[in-house]
């Protein structure tokens, strides 16, 4: 007889498979653990020791001026001389490839908080090479809760802070998730992947057993009645828990849960 309720063993196995895949993605050779620096571009061309060319930006977007003998690969094509990326939308990024001797370096060109940045990513970066995994709480069905999505009449623009002083992020918030976890709770939800939702939150474990600034969680799209499910076992750390070269957003004030969410990823080892 079929059932939609997982057994304890299948629940744990599903979580382990998900987390293994998440760890593999995090430790990929050009993932965020490979970032060697974050460079905030200005109108004045500047050279950096971990990227080719002289980089600058303006209202027309980032520009790199490559010296003779220097080249990068953009969208699969080799580029030399001066390359203009054009204006970048907020929170967007594009990657270019630089062959530095025997090492393939991916340079992220991005816009964050109204500024253009580059972030080179090297497989040999010590943060990546020394990474051994992130400890997590044992998965518990206690932290899988039914939730109800209450949409706003119109989505709201919500401005949140960042781990970078003075930097702000703006998100579209379509509504609020309400649920019970050792008492009634609510989380302001942002637009996520596809029709799904995304939340940033802290709780009573933050700064004790979990990363102090934030944790992140993707939530399945609600059905027509607003029903969905929140699985806190899949709460993950943002890049700022691992590297200073991140611009991670902080949770909105509404998302500081007054309960210990002893589920999901813990402080990095």
């Amino acid at each position: 007889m079929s059932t939609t309720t997982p057994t304890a063993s299948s629940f744990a196995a599903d979580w382990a498979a998900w987390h293994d895949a998440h760890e593999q993605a995090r430790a990929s050779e050009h993932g965020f653990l490979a970032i060697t620096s974050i460079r905030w571009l200005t109108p004045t061309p500047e050279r950096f020791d971990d990227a080719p060319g002289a980089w600058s930006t303006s209202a027309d977007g980032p520009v790199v001026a490559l010296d003779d003998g220097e080249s990068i690969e953009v969208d699969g094509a080799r580029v030399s001389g001066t390359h203009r990326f054009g204006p970048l939308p907020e929170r967007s990024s594009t990657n270019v490839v630089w062959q530095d001797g025997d090492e393939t370096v991916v340079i992220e060109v991005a816009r964050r908080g109204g500024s253009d940045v580059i972030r080179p990513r090297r497989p040999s970066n010590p943060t990546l090479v020394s990474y051994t995994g992130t400890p997590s709480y044992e998965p518990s069905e206690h932290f899988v809760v039914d939730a109800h999505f209450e949409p706003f009449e119109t989505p709201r623009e919500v401005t949140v802070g960042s781990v970078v002083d003075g930097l702000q992020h703006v998100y579209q918030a379509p509504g609020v998730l309400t649920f019970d976890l050792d008492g009634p709770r609510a989380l302001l939800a942002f637009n996520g992947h596809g029709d799904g939702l995304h939340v940033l939150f802290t709780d009573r474990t933050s700064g004790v057993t979990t990363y102090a600034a934030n944790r992140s969680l993707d939530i399945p799209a609600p059905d027509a009645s607003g029903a969905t499910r929140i699985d806190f076992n899949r709460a993950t750390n943002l890049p700022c828990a691992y590297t200073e070269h991140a611009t991670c957003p902080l949770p909105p004030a509404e998302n500081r849960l007054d309960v210990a969410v002893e589920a999901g990823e813990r402080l990095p080892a």
Side-chain angles (χ1 to χ4, degrees), residues 157-161 168-171 252:
E157 279 197 350
V158 176
T159 300
V160 298
Q168 293 183 321
H169 296 276
V170 179
Y171 288 89

Side-chain angles (χ1 to χ4, degrees), residues 26-88:
R26 176 157 47 211
S28 62
E29 64 176 357
H30 292 117
F32 68 76
L33 297 177
I35 295 173
T36 56
S37 68
I38 182 169
R39 309 292 191 174
W40 300 86
L41 305 184
T42 71
T44 303
E46 188 174 1
R47 296 190 66 93
F48 307 113
D49 59 8
D50 53 355
W55 294 80
S56 61
T57 192
S58 69
D60 296 324
V63 176
V64 60
L66 298 160
D67 284 350
D68 291 343
E70 292 182 326
S71 66
I72 55 176
E73 189 176 295
V74 181
D75 295 330
R78 183 175 174 273
V79 170
S80 57
T82 297
H83 181 76
R84 301 180 185 278
F85 291 88
L88 300 178

Side-chain angles (χ1 to χ4, degrees), residues 78-158:
R78 183 175 174 273
V79 170
S80 57
T82 297
H83 181 76
R84 301 180 185 278
F85 291 88
L88 300 178
E90 181 62 35
R91 291 202 306 277
S92 71
S93 61
T94 186
N95 291 333
V96 302
V97 178
W98 172 42
Q99 195 64 40
D100 184 22
D102 294 333
E103 187 167 37
T104 300
V105 181
V106 169
I107 301 172
E108 176 192 12
V109 186
R111 188 164 181 83
R112 297 291 184 269
S115 297
D116 292 324
V117 303
I118 64 168
R119 291 191 287 195
R121 300 169 181 238
R122 288 180 176 269
S124 62
N125 187 42
T127 303
L128 173 58
V129 172
S130 64
Y131 181 67
T132 58
T134 296
S136 298
Y137 286 100
E138 288 297 315
S140 167
E141 293 184 71
H142 175 72
F143 291 101
V144 182
V145 296
D146 291 327
H148 179 73
F149 177 64
E150 300 175 359
F152 298 136
E153 186 172 339
T154 57
R156 301 176 183 175
E157 279 197 350
V158 176

